[in-house]
Amino acid sequence: MSTVTQTPCVGRPRAFDTDDALEKALEVFWRKGYEGTSLTDLTQAMGINKPSLYAAFGNKEQLFLKAIELYEQRPCAFFYPALEQKTAYQVVESMLMGAASSFVDKSHPQGCLIVQGALACSEAGQAIKDTLISRRRDGEIALCERLQRAKDQGDLPVNADPLLLSRYIGTVLQGMAVQATNGICPQELRKVAELVLANFPRNHALS
Amino acid sequence: MSTVTQTPCVGRPRAFDTDDALEKALEVFWRKGYEGTSLTDLTQAMGINKPSLYAAFGNKEQLFLKAIELYEQRPCAFFYPALEQKTAYQVVESMLMGAASSFVDKSHPQGCLIVQGALACSEAGQAIKDTLISRRRDGEIALCERLQRAKDQGDLPVNADPLLLSRYIGTVLQGMAVQATNGICPQELRKVAELVLANFPRNHALS
DNA sequence: AAATTTATGTACCGATAGGTATTAAATTAA
DNA sequence: TTAATTTAATACCTATCGGTACATAAATTT
């Protein structure tokens, strides 16, 4: 690990753990979105004051960027790992089921930070909004490439359209994130995911 | 119509048209969300100053509520009218195709105000967030009732689950709204809608 | 022990947030 | 013509926004 907590050798030692503080910041951003989160919200949740925050993380925008990095590695860690499943069906199954558990997990805010972090915002948040759009697109591109590979290997019907399928799954995942913020209960969200799966094309011979 | 522009008989006449002003406000809220929109954004777009806004619409929150009412009657007017289609399939087809055109229509902001108006926000916006959640839920409930009626009339397979189907279609619609903010092009969004339709259960004997 | 370096805490910065008091202007009713 | 009524425009209110200056505290280096 590169970001292991290594106390700098000189000067007064930091009185807080940056990883813990980042995790607290992530939770606030997740719940309130980028612009809905104030510096006061952050410092209170992180248990530090503003100069410490700025010294450790730069500014609000850079802190948010670090938060979404942590987000994609930690609680929402169902997406990219799912790509490594053996079959296209299992990839999509892993994604949909992962989303169905993560988005409504009561141990953290509901929904998906990448979707609700800055879906609509003022000019001041445009850069963050664009960053989140890119993250969503990147996910779909990665899924598309995975499905294309599956098709090339005969793991999807010859008439399957990887680009369309990845857009469709991306749409469902983003919709599930909204459903989670609506307060849908876990079982219901899971049933939606299962319905999508039931219609997903597969070569029974291979799976 | 109840809100027809009727000049009050006494006092200085209003120098702006409230319907026009509301339409301008709607567009700003649509683009920037409830909390991302400032009073200055609103007054500039509406061409009026703050006291006029407050006299005519109450405050920012009430103005937003009037904006979402207008929104559901005007540009986003594909949802509830779709319920009156003859068959369940046609209802869903009308909704999905309506969304596929409305959400990416270049004559107004991309996406759906009911989804992106306040998906995540500060405590100050909680009431608006809850209102939008209710609107989303109400739409799904109405669709569910319509599909149940269809099932009762033999217009859906006997094993069809109206509640699950309405949640699924709601999820897809909300996901399509996010896709629209991502900047997906109209044809691609339409193809997603068509894919969903292709898997929607129907009794061919009836449609 | 002194000098250096880094972090903490308080207090503050200009800008902007939503909202309003007040006065002038424009209309109708008397 | 005057009084009553409503709107318009400016200026202002308090609170909070993101961000920082500055003095103090705590560690290491010399």
Side-chain angles (χ1 to χ4, degrees):
Chain A
M1 209 38 160
S2 62
T3 52
V4 73
T5 308
Q6 49 183 0
T7 313
C9 300
V10 67
R12 178 172 174 173
R14 191 170 271 142
F16 63 96
D17 184 273
T18 52
D19 293 344
D20 291 351
L22 181 56
E23 206 145 1
K24 298 291 187 183
L26 163 58
E27 203 200 282
V28 182
F29 279 132
W30 196 344
R31 188 152 30 88
K32 301 189 175 186
Y34 175 65
E35 288 195 324
T37 299
S38 72
L39 263 289
T40 305
D41 291 331
L42 291 168
T43 53
Q44 281 184 355
M46 301 164 87
I48 63 180
N49 42 38
K50 281 191 274 185
S52 297
L53 188 156
Y54 278 82
F57 300 102
N59 61 10
K60 187 187 176 186
E61 184 164 344
Q62 290 169 30
L63 176 59
F64 184 83
L65 294 177
K66 280 164 188 154
I68 62 177
E69 259 174 52
L70 174 61
Y71 176 75
E72 290 195 334
Q73 286 165 13
R74 291 286 213 64
C76 187
F78 62 86
F79 190 87
Y80 287 101
L83 295 173
E84 287 158 27
Q85 293 287 326
K86 263 193 256 176
T87 69
Y89 180 87
Q90 286 170 326
V91 165
V92 173
E93 178 184 40
S94 179
M95 277 184 188
L96 290 169
M97 290 308 164
S101 3
S102 168
F103 290 171
V104 294
D105 188 329
K106 294 297 191 297
S107 72
H108 55 238
Q110 308 293 282
C112 172
L113 175 63
I114 308 297
V115 171
Q116 72 213 33
L119 195 57
C121 62
S122 76
E123 284 92 351
Q126 198 61 46
I128 292 296
K129 177 182 168 186
D130 292 342
T131 297
L132 292 183
I133 289 176
S134 289
R135 297 270 176 161
R136 281 176 237 141
R137 282 200 180 131
D138 289 349
E140 280 182 27
I141 290 170
L143 176 57
C144 179
E145 288 168 350
R146 177 64 185 85
L147 295 182
Q148 182 63 57
R149 185 154 61 87
K151 185 179 174 182
D152 293 344
Q153 295 172 346
D155 179 31
L156 273 177
V158 287
N159 64 333
D161 181 346
L163 182 57
L164 175 59
L165 285 174
S166 65
R167 288 237 167 76
Y168 167 63
I169 297 299
T171 302
V172 169
L173 288 172
Q174 290 162 4
M176 287 172 67
V178 178
Q179 290 284 9
T181 71
N182 293 359
I184 193 174
C185 68
Q187 310 97 291
E188 314 260 346
L189 190 57
R190 192 182 173 87
K191 282 166 71 179
V192 171
E194 285 166 353
L195 176 58
V196 173
L197 267 178
N199 286 326
F200 193 81
R202 59 201 291 196
N203 281 350
H204 293 275
L206 278 181
S207 62
Chain B
M1 209 39 163
S2 62
T3 52
V4 73
T5 307
Q6 49 182 358
T7 313
C9 300
V10 68
R12 178 172 173 171
R14 191 171 271 142
F16 63 95
D17 183 273
T18 53
D19 293 344
D20 291 352
L22 181 56
E23 207 145 0
K24 298 291 187 183
L26 163 58
E27 204 200 282
V28 182
F29 280 132
W30 197 345
R31 188 151 31 88
K32 301 189 175 186
Y34 175 65
E35 287 196 324
T37 299
S38 73
L39 263 290
T40 304
D41 290 332
L42 290 168
T43 53
Q44 280 183 356
M46 300 164 88
I48 63 181
N49 40 39
K50 280 191 273 187
S52 297
L53 189 156
Y54 278 81
F57 300 102
N59 60 11
K60 187 187 175 185
E61 184 165 344
Q62 291 170 30
L63 175 59
F64 184 82
L65 294 176
K66 280 165 187 153
I68 62 176
E69 260 175 52
L70 174 60
Y71 176 76
E72 289 195 334
Q73 287 164 13
R74 291 284 213 66
C76 186
F78 63 86
F79 191 88
Y80 287 101
L83 295 173
E84 287 159 28
Q85 293 287 327
K86 264 193 252 177
T87 69
Y89 179 87
Q90 285 170 326
V91 166
V92 173
E93 178 183 39
S94 179
M95 277 185 188
L96 289 170
M97 290 308 163
S101 355
S102 169
F103 290 171
V104 294
D105 188 329
K106 294 296 190 300
S107 71
H108 54 238
Q110 307 294 281
C112 172
L113 175 62
I114 308 298
V115 171
Q116 71 213 36
L119 196 57
C121 61
S122 77
E123 284 91 352
Q126 198 61 46
I128 292 296
K129 178 182 167 184
D130 290 344
T131 297
L132 292 183
I133 289 176
S134 288
R135 297 269 175 162
R136 281 177 238 142
R137 281 199 179 131
D138 289 349
E140 280 182 26
I141 289 170
L143 176 57
C144 179
E145 289 168 351
R146 177 65 185 83
L147 295 182
Q148 181 63 57
R149 187 154 61 86
K151 184 179 176 185
D152 295 343
Q153 294 171 346
D155 179 29
L156 274 177
V158 287
N159 64 333
D161 181 345
L163 182 58
L164 175 58
L165 285 174
S166 65
R167 287 238 167 74
Y168 167 62
I169 297 299
T171 302
V172 169
L173 288 172
Q174 290 162 5
M176 287 171 68
V178 178
Q179 289 284 11
T181 72
N182 292 359
I184 193 174
C185 67
Q187 310 96 290
E188 313 259 345
L189 190 58
R190 191 183 174 87
K191 282 167 73 180
V192 171
E194 285 166 354
L195 176 59
V196 173
L197 268 178
N199 285 327
F200 194 80
R202 60 201 292 196
N203 280 349
H204 292 276
L206 278 180
S207 60

